[in-house]
Amino acid sequence: MLLVLNGPNLNRLGLREPGVYGSQTLEDLERQCDAWGAELGQAVTCRQSNYEGQLIEWIHEAEEHGFTGIVLNPGALTHYSYALRDAISGQRVPVIEVHISNVDAREEFRHRSVTAAVCRGKISGLGFLGYRLGLEALVEGQA
Ligand code: DQA
């Protein structure tokens, strides 16, 4: 059972800077994640929150709720949230960090991730495909 977590502002996909994030919505993304999970023989639960504390609590509870891997797009929290980083490093479920846009090709402040070092891996710039690759890595045991 796998968990897909999207952080702040990702509920605005499709409306928000479509030149950067594309025209598909969060609902489209979550539908695709469900379908990819089914192909991989895994149930996928998708959640989104604009609140740092909510994301932290979902990460704390992931293992006891039976999740074996997490695909996480922390949004802008990536760049400054030590609290999110500590939540990831303080538990055992592997986490793959995903960004829809190529953060390294954007503003300087997006080049730094405080969370990536405590994740198993990071995928950036491949659009929604990054979520699929993250799910695959978790299933293949690469993560
Ligand atoms: C993002 C990149 C972040 O810099 C940004 O704050 C986001 C989305 C991405 O998916 O490309 O909210 O994580």
Side-chain angles (χ1 to χ4, degrees), residues 78-94:
T78 307
H79 313 303
Y80 66 89
S81 176
Y82 297 118
L84 191 61
R85 177 196 169 106
D86 284 351
I88 297 166
S89 65
Q91 54 87 56
R92 289 183 299 195
V93 177

Side-chain angles (χ1 to χ4, degrees), residues 49-126:
S49 180
N50 292 325
Y51 299 95
E52 184 182 32
Q54 177 65 84
L55 294 163
I56 288 170
E57 287 183 0
W58 284 333
I59 291 168
H60 288 168
E61 294 161 1
E63 184 173 9
E64 69 181 83
H65 288 183
F67 294 106
T68 54
I70 303 172
V71 170
L72 170 66
N73 184 343
L77 294 172
T78 307
H79 313 303
Y80 66 89
S81 176
Y82 297 118
L84 191 61
R85 177 196 169 106
D86 284 351
I88 297 166
S89 65
Q91 54 87 56
R92 289 183 299 195
V93 177
V95 178
I96 308 276
E97 180 170 316
V98 170
H99 300 284
I100 295 167
S101 66
N102 181 357
V103 284
D104 295 301
R106 299 182 64 198
E107 301 94 324
E108 188 95 32
F109 75 88
R110 295 185 205 276
H111 299 180
R112 176 161 181 258
S113 170
V114 301
T115 46
V118 293
C119 291
R120 295 297 175 92
K122 173 177 137 177
I123 300 166
S124 167
L126 303 181

